[in-house]
Amino acid sequence: NLLKNIEDYHSYIDHHILELSTNILEAIERKLQLGINHDQELILGICLHLKPAIHRHVHGMNMRNPLLEDIKVNYPIAFEAGIIASMVIREELGIDINENEIGYLALHIGAAIERVRINHSVKRCIIICASGVGSASLLTYKLKAEFGPKLDIVGTTEYYNLKDISFSTIDFIISTIPIHESLPVPVFEVNVLFGKKDFEKID
């Protein structure tokens, strides 16, 4: 549906560029979990940037990016996402885009990250559960029933995967087990069956 909507409104976008853009955002989401892979404004921005960027590469044209160093310092997550984008481009097209182009892609991604942050009404969380898929699924449905659209559950994982989680756009963790290590976001320990006290804690 997302692809169809963009194609209907921007029929001049090359289908292969559109497919490449969505593949890029899926790869970024898998690695960084930024919650931006369905941002239509971002997909359109990347589509419109990629075609001339590929043209510049093919013809040996190097466009300088005067903001490159500032982007690296002030938007490191967005720049990391730009690097992931470059890896997808290399894999699919055999093209190595340079840091200037990566920086321009990072600007589009950074804007999408800010759009997520501006949406204060929705909190984003990850569930840490050690009791198996069934209990994690039950807890997910309980949380959705209690909080509805106010809570965006990014996913569920196990304790040993904590080191692989990007916390840049995560507001808190909900865990059914004690987590003693220091993390950059709050951790709320709850019962897997999620009772009244757990509801109050999250609320």
Side-chain angles (χ1 to χ4, degrees):
N1 287 343
L2 177 61
L3 291 178
K4 187 174 185 301
N5 289 341
I6 297 177
E7 284 175 335
D8 287 346
Y9 191 68
H10 302 281
S11 57
Y12 55 86
I13 293 175
D14 184 278
H15 176 75
H16 297 295
I17 293 290
L18 185 56
E19 187 175 11
L20 175 60
S21 299
T22 54
N23 289 344
I24 284 170
L25 292 186
E26 285 169 7
I28 290 170
E29 183 64 17
R30 282 195 303 272
K31 183 73 174 175
L32 300 178
Q33 299 174 334
L34 298 175
I36 59 174
N37 53 317
H38 296 305
D39 185 322
Q40 292 200 30
E41 188 175 340
L42 173 60
I43 292 178
L44 178 60
I46 288 181
C47 282
L48 295 178
H49 181 83
L50 280 180
K51 193 164 187 176
I54 292 167
H55 177 82
R56 284 190 290 272
H57 175 85
V58 169
H59 293 279
M61 302 162 60
N62 186 16
M63 185 169 68
R64 183 175 170 271
N65 186 342
L67 299 174
L68 182 59
E69 293 308 315
D70 287 336
I71 293 168
K72 286 181 179 180
V73 171
N74 296 308
Y75 296 95
I77 297 294
F79 191 76
E80 184 180 350
I83 292 172
I84 294 168
S86 73
M87 292 166 66
V88 174
I89 293 168
R90 182 192 304 141
E91 184 180 327
E92 296 200 11
L93 301 181
I95 289 174
D96 283 308
I97 64 171
N98 59 41
E99 278 199 328
N100 291 300
E101 297 288 3
I102 290 173
Y104 282 118
L105 288 173
L107 285 176
H108 290 285
I109 294 162
I113 292 171
E114 291 303 322
R115 283 193 289 275
V116 170
R117 288 177 176 163
I118 286 169
N119 189 4
H120 295 297
S121 60
V122 178
K123 297 298 182 184
R124 307 184 83 236
C125 76
I126 287 178
I127 296 172
I128 306 294
C129 194
S131 306
V133 176
S135 57
S137 179
L138 175 61
L139 181 54
T140 299
Y141 285 117
K142 289 280 284 185
L143 287 165
K144 286 180 177 178
E146 291 286 2
F147 297 103
K150 291 195 298 182
L151 185 64
D152 179 11
I153 301 168
V154 175
T156 62
T157 188
E158 294 179 333
Y159 177 80
Y160 62 82
N161 289 324
L162 263 180
K163 63 183 184 303
D164 298 322
I165 293 173
S166 170
F167 296 102
S168 56
T169 59
I170 301 298
D171 294 296
F172 55 89
I173 289 172
I174 297 173
S175 178
T176 61
I177 57 172
I179 296 177
H180 300 297
E181 63 191 273
S182 178
L183 297 174
V185 296
V187 177
F188 297 101
E189 188 180 339
V190 299
N191 187 291
V192 71
L193 297 180
F194 203 75
K196 183 180 177 183
K197 287 184 178 179
D198 298 314
F199 168 78
E200 292 171 353
K201 196 183 294 184
I202 303 302
D203 197 43

